[in-house]
Amino acid sequence: MQSHIIHAHPNPASFNAALTAQARQTLENEGATVTISDLYQSEFDPVERGQHYPCGLDPTAFSALAEQRHAWRTDHIPEDVEREIHALEAADLLILQFPLWWHGAPAILKGWFDRVFLSGGLYTSRMRYDAGYFRGRRALLSVTSGAPQAAFGPGARGGDPEVMLWPLQYSLHYLGFEVLPPFWSFGVQGHGYSYEDADKAKARLRGRLDAWATHLKSLDAATPLAFPGWANWDGDGRTLVPPTGDPSHP
């Protein structure tokens, strides 16, 4: 098995870095080949713009979708994006490792989505969702938060985890990935935020590293998240409702 990790944290001594290291060691011990894209270390540019396309379609008016399709057709994909695509194509499992910042992923990871998943190449009008480019491959989010687990949930102070991760997970489904349930590490306190004794927090986080290893070893038993596919929509993309004879469902 080939696994690819997208690591999106600027501090090489962070708990996110420890989770990435644990994933690599665990998966390699299970016989997998593991590659890592460290977005901060590689100084990946997350901003999609015309400068990435020197052989562009229209130098006077930048359109990301048009330039991406042109780059794919003419084999002028930016080198950093091409490296990422090759790593994804080789992988059976994709892991996104990142901290929760402002109720979502860091901007560098969102920009990775913007630039790497090329229009006209990795998705088209029909090659998406359950007919997506990466169908048959799995994806998994591993997320850290400074706040404790008790603060999260529908209507809770920290927000609803399912809502906050929905854009990333739905985008992975859009590309055809089978999306596995996310792995959360709550309460990574520090830098002015403290919810429990430091020694207890360290022991708990060591336990999360062990739990992460156990989780990775049992991925084959995980039930993927449920998303709609092409058979669930009408021609306009609206949800199809099975005939029931109920007048409220014409």
Side-chain angles (χ1 to χ4, degrees):
M1 185 180 76
Q2 178 95 13
S3 299
H4 187 59
I5 303 172
I6 304 297
H7 179 78
H9 196 289
N11 183 359
S14 66
F15 188 65
N16 274 265
L19 287 163
T20 291
Q22 180 72 291
R24 182 174 203 163
Q25 178 180 343
T26 300
L27 292 169
E28 287 181 342
N29 288 345
E30 292 292 300
T33 300
V34 181
T35 54
I36 299 174
S37 290
D38 187 327
L39 300 186
Y40 284 96
Q41 184 182 52
S42 67
E43 297 183 341
F44 180 82
D45 184 353
V47 181
E48 183 64 302
R49 50 188 161 191
Q51 289 92 324
H52 296 305
Y53 303 93
C55 300
L57 181 66
D58 184 353
T60 65
F62 176 68
S63 168
L65 297 183
E67 293 295 353
Q68 288 181 359
R69 289 193 292 268
H70 179 69
W72 183 273
R73 288 195 302 265
T74 61
D75 197 24
H76 284 94
I77 300 170
E79 289 184 8
D80 56 349
V81 169
E82 190 169 33
R83 285 194 297 270
E84 295 298 318
I85 291 174
H86 286 165
L88 291 173
E89 289 175 331
D92 304 294
L93 172 68
L94 170 65
I95 297 174
L96 304 184
Q97 179 64 60
F98 62 95
L100 191 71
W101 286 357
W102 283 110
H103 312 101
I108 198 169
L109 182 55
K110 173 59 170 64
W112 180 86
F113 273 72
D114 293 344
R115 292 195 57 215
V116 172
F117 292 132
L118 295 181
S119 176
L122 301 191
Y123 71 93
T124 65
S125 60
R126 289 300 303 182
M127 189 177 66
R128 48 188 178 147
Y129 304 111
D130 48 346
Y133 189 88
F134 292 103
R135 61 190 180 278
R137 295 171 171 86
R138 298 179 297 171
L140 166 66
L141 308 187
S142 174
V143 191
T144 66
S145 167
Q149 184 172 0
F152 289 89
R157 183 183 68 217
D160 187 337
E162 292 188 13
V163 172
M164 290 184 283
L165 296 188
W166 186 90
L168 289 182
Q169 294 186 141
Y170 196 71
S171 293
L172 291 168
H173 164 60
Y174 187 97
L175 272 296
F177 285 100
E178 186 176 79
V179 185
L180 302 179
F183 182 85
W184 279 88
S185 297
F186 297 100
V188 186
Q189 63 186 31
H191 308 289
Y193 295 91
S194 178
Y195 301 95
E196 65 182 325
D197 175 83
D199 289 337
K200 289 183 179 179
K202 289 180 181 179
R204 179 173 50 75
L205 293 180
R206 283 196 297 270
R208 289 312 291 165
L209 290 174
D210 293 338
W212 181 219
T214 300
H215 186 81
L216 290 169
K217 293 176 184 177
S218 60
L219 290 183
D220 288 343
T223 300
L225 301 177
F227 291 102
W230 285 105
N232 301 110
W233 304 306
D234 66 13
D236 294 318
R238 293 173 297 203
T239 302
L240 289 170
V241 180
T244 64
D246 184 340
S248 66
H249 296 287

